[in-house]
Coordinates of all heavy atoms in Angstrom, one line a residue:
Chain R
A372 N 27.6 15.8 40.6 CA 26.9 15.1 39.7 C 27.5 13.9 39.1 O 28.7 13.8 39.1 CB 26.7 16.2 38.5
E373 N 26.8 13.0 38.7 CA 27.3 11.8 38.1 C 26.7 11.7 36.6 O 25.7 12.0 36.3 CB 27.1 10.4 38.7 CG 25.6 10.3 39.2 CD 25.5 9.0 40.0 OE1 26.4 8.2 40.2 OE2 24.3 8.7 40.4
L374 N 27.7 11.3 35.8 CA 27.4 11.5 34.2 C 27.3 10.1 33.8 O 28.2 9.2 33.9 CB 28.4 12.3 33.6 CG 28.2 12.5 32.1 CD1 27.2 13.7 31.8 CD2 29.5 12.7 31.5
F375 N 26.3 9.8 33.0 CA 26.1 8.5 32.2 C 26.0 8.8 30.7 O 25.2 9.7 30.4 CB 25.0 7.6 32.8 CG 25.2 7.3 34.2 CD1 24.5 8.0 35.1 CD2 25.9 6.2 34.6 CE1 24.5 7.7 36.4 CE2 25.9 5.9 35.8 CZ 25.3 6.6 36.8
F376 N 26.7 8.1 30.0 CA 26.4 8.1 28.5 C 25.5 7.1 28.2 O 25.6 6.0 28.5 CB 27.8 7.8 27.7 CG 28.8 9.1 28.1 CD1 29.8 8.9 28.8 CD2 28.6 10.3 27.4 CE1 30.8 9.9 29.1 CE2 29.4 11.4 27.6 CZ 30.4 11.1 28.4
L377 N 24.5 7.4 27.1 CA 23.5 6.5 26.7 C 23.7 5.8 25.5 O 22.9 5.0 24.9 CB 22.2 7.1 26.9 CG 21.6 7.6 28.3 CD1 20.3 8.3 28.3 CD2 21.6 6.4 29.2
D378 N 24.9 6.2 24.8 CA 25.2 5.5 23.6 C 24.2 5.5 22.4 O 24.2 4.7 21.6 CB 25.4 4.0 23.8 CG 26.6 3.8 24.8 OD1 27.6 4.5 24.5 OD2 26.6 3.0 25.6
I379 N 23.5 6.6 22.4 CA 22.6 6.9 21.3 C 23.3 7.6 20.2 O 23.9 8.5 20.3 CB 21.3 7.5 21.7 CG1 20.4 6.8 22.8 CG2 20.3 7.6 20.4 CD1 19.4 7.5 23.3
H380 N 23.2 7.0 18.9 CA 24.0 7.7 17.8 C 23.2 8.9 17.2 O 22.2 9.2 17.5 CB 24.2 6.5 16.7 CG 25.1 5.5 17.2 ND1 26.5 5.8 17.1 CD2 25.1 4.3 17.8 CE1 27.2 4.8 17.6 NE2 26.3 3.8 18.0
N381 N 24.0 9.5 16.5 CA 23.6 10.9 16.0 C 22.6 10.7 14.8 O 22.3 9.7 14.3 CB 24.8 11.7 15.6 CG 25.6 11.1 14.5 OD1 25.1 10.4 13.6 ND2 26.9 11.5 14.5
I382 N 22.2 11.9 14.3 CA 21.2 11.9 13.2 C 21.4 11.2 11.9 O 20.7 10.7 11.3 CB 20.6 13.4 12.9 CG1 21.8 14.3 12.4 CG2 20.0 13.9 14.1 CD1 21.4 15.5 11.8
H383 N 22.8 11.3 11.6 CA 23.3 10.7 10.4 C 23.2 9.1 10.4 O 23.0 8.5 9.5 CB 24.7 11.1 10.1 CG 24.9 12.6 10.3 ND1 24.3 13.5 9.5 CD2 25.6 13.4 11.2 CE1 24.6 14.7 9.8 NE2 25.4 14.7 10.8
V384 N 23.6 8.6 11.6 CA 23.5 7.2 11.8 C 22.0 6.8 11.6 O 21.7 5.6 11.0 CB 24.1 6.7 13.1 CG1 23.9 5.2 13.3 CG2 25.6 7.2 13.3
M385 N 21.1 7.4 12.3 CA 19.7 7.0 12.1 C 19.1 7.1 10.7 O 18.5 6.2 10.2 CB 18.9 8.1 13.0 CG 19.3 8.0 14.5 SD 19.5 6.4 15.2 CE 20.0 6.7 16.9
R386 N 19.5 8.1 10.0 CA 19.2 8.3 8.6 C 19.5 7.1 7.7 O 18.8 6.5 7.0 CB 19.7 9.7 8.0 CG 19.2 9.9 6.6 CD 19.8 11.3 6.1 NE 21.3 11.2 6.2 CZ 22.0 12.1 6.9 NH1 21.4 13.2 7.4 NH2 23.4 12.1 7.0
E387 N 20.9 6.8 7.9 CA 21.4 5.7 7.2 C 20.7 4.3 7.5 O 20.4 3.4 6.6 CB 22.9 5.5 7.5 CG 23.7 6.7 6.8 CD 23.3 6.9 5.4 OE1 23.3 6.1 4.5 OE2 23.0 8.2 5.1

Side-chain angles (χ1 to χ4, degrees):
Chain R
E373 49 181 355
L374 180 85
F375 299 98
F376 294 102
L377 295 177
D378 293 324
I379 302 168
H380 287 279
N381 63 26
I382 58 166
H383 312 294
V384 175
M385 302 310 179
R386 182 179 56 235
E387 291 314 307

